Amino acid sequence: MLGKSDFNGAVDGSGSIIRLEVPDYFDFGQCREHLAHSENGCLVTVKGDGVYKGLRLNGIPLLIRIFGEENRGGGLRIHVHGADIDAAMATDIEEHVRQWFDLERDLAPFNALAERDELLRRHVRRYSGLRMLGNPSLYESLCWAIIGQQITASFAFQLKQRVVRTFGESVLFEGERYYLFPGPEVVANLTIRDMTELKLSQKKAEYLIEVARQTVEGSLTKDQLLAMESIEQAVKRLTAIRGVGAWTANYAVMLCLRDPQAFPIADVGLHRAIQHTLGLARKPTLEEIRRYAVSWEGWEAYATFYLWRGLEDHAEISTDELA
DNA sequence: TGCCAGGGTCTTT
DNA sequence: AAAGACCATGGC
């Protein structure tokens, strides 16, 4: 399986370094390219060969920079800046990155089934080694999904960026500022107006404050969902929150709990991705999608994620053509 | 203007 | 369970 990481201990201003081994079917470059397309520098920044992200640990905001190693296994090097870290913190950071990049999963079965699937084949070949990149925080995953409900991806990005830059903390590194998503204790104490000023709808402001409130009070936790027997139960718990419907719940389960069976089947992006991949004149119906998804059994989330990835390139090509 | 956008709630069949 | 009405907000 995965080897243990090496921790070099606290060093000077150049930061501590953690090394991480990676499994088969992992390509850091593919993951970085996806982040470069999807994150737009909101919480994750792609700079050269590195992926930078702010991270709060023991109440301290840190910056981690991740690079792929050139040699053989293609392991990862994580540089940590902002504080001296001890072995326990190094373990936490390693765990964060493992979850973020979904490193524990054996992707061989998915690659095999995707090779046999007419919808997935060209995506799994083109993006081989891409992992489902989500967010280890349930609170952040839910907020991210709620902000993105029923609006264009570009407008969603603007809203996310405003929320993050207005209310989030940041870390300064080499003259640039890297933002963290505002913690639940911050959002729980915002007013509706604080957020509608950023052009969030009244409803979304209410939903976000409620999610933050339940997180602060401890009645909404990731462990609680992980302890449940099925993803249906987790989805049911989440949809009990006002503003969290089937799409948002499945999105959060997919990107935070990393359940490969989570399936935001109502997602318009998924519909468009299928349409473009197959060259259909119209978007597929839910019934048609269910038929395609029969062969994805157990890997619906990964299938969705790879289809979304294809859409990013398609959108870019369309934009280029206009220019 | 009208329709769409990586939906939700509530009501009705 | 599934479908329809109505909602909210900005972009093109």
Side-chain angles (χ1 to χ4, degrees), chain A residues 26-58:
Chain A
F26 174 78
D27 185 328
F28 178 67
Q30 289 286 0
C31 295
R32 184 186 54 218
E33 284 312 299
H34 167 65
L35 290 170
H37 283 92
S38 64
E39 276 283 343
N40 294 317
C42 216
L43 291 178
V44 178
T45 304
V46 174
K47 217 175 170 63
D49 293 336
V51 171
Y52 298 13
K53 183 186 184 187
L55 193 61
R56 194 180 168 95
L57 206 60
N58 297 344

Side-chain angles (χ1 to χ4, degrees), chain A residues 274 280 282-293:
Chain A
I274 293 174
L280 306 176
R282 54 163 178 77
K283 283 188 284 199
T285 65
L286 285 184
E287 201 42 54
E288 288 168 335
I289 297 172
R290 287 196 190 92
R291 276 205 297 278
Y292 295 128

Side-chain angles (χ1 to χ4, degrees), chain A residues 175-192:
Chain A
E176 288 205 40
R177 204 163 274 291
Y178 299 88
Y179 288 87
L180 283 67
F181 193 79
E185 69 288 343
V186 173
V187 174
N189 288 308
L190 294 177
T191 63
I192 305 284

Side-chain angles (χ1 to χ4, degrees), chain A residues 62-127:
Chain A
L62 306 171
L63 177 74
I64 61 174
R65 299 188 300 144
I66 308 177
F67 299 89
E69 294 189 321
E70 302 288 327
N71 53 7
R72 41 194 174 76
L76 300 180
R77 276 197 339 276
I78 308 169
H79 298 239
V80 185
H81 307 271
D84 290 339
I85 61 171
D86 56 25
M89 292 168 81
T91 303
D92 287 346
I93 292 169
E94 175 186 337
E95 187 54 30
H96 181 96
V97 173
R98 278 192 191 290
Q99 289 189 34
W100 180 16
F101 285 85
D102 202 27
L103 294 182
E104 303 297 327
R105 196 165 313 285
D106 175 11
L107 231 51
F110 172 70
N111 276 265
L113 84 80
E115 271 296 328
R116 299 191 299 268
D117 189 282
E118 75 170 306
L119 245 173
L120 301 180
R121 187 178 303 120
R122 74 185 219 206
H123 296 299
V124 80
R125 286 183 181 170
R126 185 162 181 185
Y127 307 118

Side-chain angles (χ1 to χ4, degrees), chain A residues 19-317:
Chain A
R19 290 200 169 78
L20 208 57
E21 290 188 14
V22 297
D24 290 338
Y25 298 100
F26 174 78
D27 185 328
F28 178 67
Q30 289 286 0
C31 295
R32 184 186 54 218
E33 284 312 299
H34 167 65
L35 290 170
H37 283 92
S38 64
E39 276 283 343
N40 294 317
C42 216
L43 291 178
V44 178
T45 304
V46 174
K47 217 175 170 63
D49 293 336
V51 171
Y52 298 13
K53 183 186 184 187
L55 193 61
R56 194 180 168 95
L57 206 60
N58 297 344
I60 306 167
L62 306 171
L63 177 74
I64 61 174
R65 299 188 300 144
I66 308 177
F67 299 89
E69 294 189 321
E70 302 288 327
N71 53 7
R72 41 194 174 76
L76 300 180
R77 276 197 339 276
I78 308 169
H79 298 239
V80 185
H81 307 271
D84 290 339
I85 61 171
D86 56 25
M89 292 168 81
T91 303
D92 287 346
I93 292 169
E94 175 186 337
E95 187 54 30
H96 181 96
V97 173
R98 278 192 191 290
Q99 289 189 34
W100 180 16
F101 285 85
D102 202 27
L103 294 182
E104 303 297 327
R105 196 165 313 285
D106 175 11
L107 231 51
F110 172 70
N111 276 265
L113 84 80
E115 271 296 328
R116 299 191 299 268
D117 189 282
E118 75 170 306
L119 245 173
L120 301 180
R121 187 178 303 120
R122 74 185 219 206
H123 296 299
V124 80
R125 286 183 181 170
R126 185 162 181 185
Y127 307 118
S128 177
L130 173 67
R131 297 256 157 178
M132 192 161 72
L133 298 167
N135 192 322
S137 160
L138 175 64
Y139 157 74
E140 285 188 23
S141 298
L142 282 170
C143 289
W144 216 242
I146 288 170
I147 294 173
Q149 288 168 356
Q150 184 59 18
I151 53 178
T152 60
S154 82
F155 181 48
F157 161 66
Q158 293 179 49
L159 289 178
K160 289 168 182 172
Q161 181 160 275
R162 282 182 205 139
V163 169
V164 165
R165 300 206 169 182
T166 307
F167 306 118
E169 330 174 70
S170 63
V171 183
L172 196 59
F173 177 75
E174 291 184 347
E176 288 205 40
R177 204 163 274 291
Y178 299 88
Y179 288 87
L180 283 67
F181 193 79
E185 69 288 343
V186 173
V187 174
N189 288 308
L190 294 177
T191 63
I192 305 284
R193 185 174 181 77
D194 287 332
M195 286 191 270
T196 54
E197 281 177 358
L198 304 183
K199 304 304 180 189
L200 276 150
S201 69
Q202 170 110 9
K203 291 293 183 188
K204 285 185 182 177
E206 293 171 10
Y207 302 159
L208 291 172
I209 290 172
E210 176 61 13
V211 165
R213 201 187 59 71
Q214 289 194 27
T215 302
V216 169
E217 132 193 317
S219 57
L220 173 65
T221 68
K222 186 175 179 179
D223 287 343
Q224 165 193 38
L225 299 183
L226 286 171
M228 291 179 173
E229 293 177 6
S230 64
I231 87 167
E232 286 80 8
Q233 285 183 31
V235 166
K236 190 172 177 184
R237 164 66 184 94
L238 292 176
T239 51
I241 304 169
R242 269 183 62 83
V244 177
W247 178 86
T248 305
N250 274 283
Y251 185 89
V253 168
M254 172 176 164
L255 297 183
C256 179
L257 304 188
R258 329 315 297 267
D259 192 314
Q261 296 187 54
F263 194 20
I265 190 169
D267 183 81
V268 177
L270 173 66
H271 303 174
R272 287 172 47 215
I274 293 174
Q275 178 184 3
H276 291 313
T277 303
L278 297 179
L280 306 176
R282 54 163 178 77
K283 283 188 284 199
T285 65
L286 285 184
E287 201 42 54
E288 288 168 335
I289 297 172
R290 287 196 190 92
R291 276 205 297 278
Y292 295 128
V294 168
S295 58
W296 306 344
E297 168 85 53
W299 291 94
E300 291 85 349
Y302 257 93
T304 301
F305 196 78
Y306 269 69
L307 284 162
W308 280 348
R309 178 65 184 88
L311 208 50
E312 289 166 5
D313 281 338
H314 181 277
E316 188 154 288
I317 290 163

